[in-house]
Amino acid sequence: MSQGKETTVLALTILITAALAGGGYWFFVNQPKISSIAESGKEANGQTSSHLILKDLEVNQPNPAVIKIDGSTTMVATVQQLRTAFTQQNPNLPVTYGVPDNSPTGSSGGLKNLINDQVVLAASSRSLKAEEAQYNIQMLPIAKDSIAVVVGVNNPFKGSLSMNQLRDIYTGKITNWSEVGGINAPIRVINRNASSGTRDFFKEVVLTGIDFAPDSVNFITWPRDETTAILRDLGDNAISYATVAQVANQEIVRIVPIDGVAPTDQNAVKAGKYSISRNLFLAVK
């Protein structure tokens, strides 16, 4: 194997091994479909080791001076953990995330930069689209994530929403909190930017492909793919959504259960009882 191939396989192996060592609200996928991509090694005593053997990857990138990654804003915290683990073992091989560094462009932007050879890895919170699949990109599922629906901490609405109610809010059929058991006040809807992989997944799972309501006074599409600014703008009557890891410990928001289940319930998420859950990926050519 050439030095360039060894470096890239090493990068993938350490990054994914670091992912498997993670915790918090990141639920790592342990499904049969992963076995064709990465599998655990066996120690001499028969115990499973944390080292991963990557298979079926055509790794032909040149030996890089920097491991450049771009992609999902959902995965910022996770990628930071991965790059820290990698640079501890490879102090002379920097890892950047975003173009420029520390400015990730979202799942779509990261995959585009991977296709254009501007990065060697992309972090994606969604599967490939048809137009991306033609570029021989392989998706390595490393985690399961949940999308949390949130309101401002001072929002009078303290109930749960059904998936149908959530769909109707984002398609413009429900426009007042009184229609879902709250007070008589308009619902201000904040949608994520079109570049967001979280938005793509939300549309697919919650709206089942139906279009979002058009932008208006009470339906806003955020101009950039970011979360913190959206959370600060929720106020007393707005609703939005983000990966659970970005909102679980935020004092300015309250997570709304969906069909009575909260995305912070790890057992419910693992059991498939929380509907708005997805796989997260590292992508490589």
Side-chain angles (χ1 to χ4, degrees), residues 11-206:
L12 284 166
T13 302
I14 295 177
L15 286 171
I16 298 174
T17 302
L20 292 172
Y25 291 104
W26 301 88
F27 309 121
F28 292 97
V29 179
N30 186 21
Q31 301 176 14
K33 64 182 179 180
I34 294 184
S35 62
S36 65
I37 301 173
E39 63 182 11
S40 297
K42 294 289 184 179
E43 303 286 6
N45 60 5
Q47 298 296 314
T48 301
S49 74
S50 61
H51 181 75
L52 295 182
I53 303 170
L54 300 180
K55 303 193 305 181
D56 304 325
L57 288 176
E58 292 294 334
V59 184
N60 55 13
Q61 298 289 340
N63 191 24
V66 178
I67 299 292
K68 294 183 179 180
I69 311 173
D70 188 22
S72 171
T73 58
T74 290
M75 297 172 68
V76 167
T78 296
V79 173
Q80 181 58 50
Q81 292 176 6
L82 304 189
R83 67 193 285 187
T84 298
F86 180 78
T87 53
Q88 285 175 349
Q89 297 191 39
N90 299 270
N92 297 320
L93 184 54
V95 178
T96 65
Y97 189 52
V99 180
D101 190 21
N102 296 320
S103 299
T105 61
S107 296
S108 296
L111 289 166
K112 180 179 179 181
N113 285 333
L114 177 64
I115 290 168
N116 293 333
D117 294 323
Q118 292 183 271
V119 298
V120 296
L121 289 169
S124 179
S125 59
R126 62 166 174 80
S127 301
L128 291 178
K129 296 180 179 179
E131 61 269 24
E132 297 163 339
Q134 62 181 308
Y135 292 99
N136 195 30
I137 295 172
Q138 297 197 46
M139 305 290 278
L140 308 176
I142 63 165
K144 177 161 281 189
D145 173 44
S146 296
I147 306 303
V149 177
V150 291
V151 297
V153 67
N154 294 320
N155 191 312
F157 180 76
K158 293 180 172 59
S160 173
L161 292 172
S162 69
M163 281 286 280
N164 287 337
Q165 288 173 327
L166 185 59
R167 180 183 305 114
D168 286 348
I169 287 172
Y170 272 86
T171 56
K173 294 181 180 179
I174 292 178
T175 59
N176 194 289
W177 285 109
S178 64
E179 298 176 72
V180 292
I183 66 172
N184 182 17
I187 300 175
R188 191 165 63 93
V189 181
I190 302 179
N191 199 14
R192 300 188 73 90
N193 187 268
S195 65
S196 167
T198 300
R199 170 181 159 140
D200 288 340
F201 179 76
F202 188 90
K203 182 176 180 180
E204 176 186 350
V205 173
V206 178

Side-chain angles (χ1 to χ4, degrees), residues 26-28 144 146 265-274 277:
W26 301 88
F27 309 121
F28 292 97
K144 177 161 281 189
S146 296
D265 184 341
Q266 297 188 23
N267 291 330
V269 172
K270 290 179 180 179
K273 295 179 180 179
Y274 186 76
S277 298

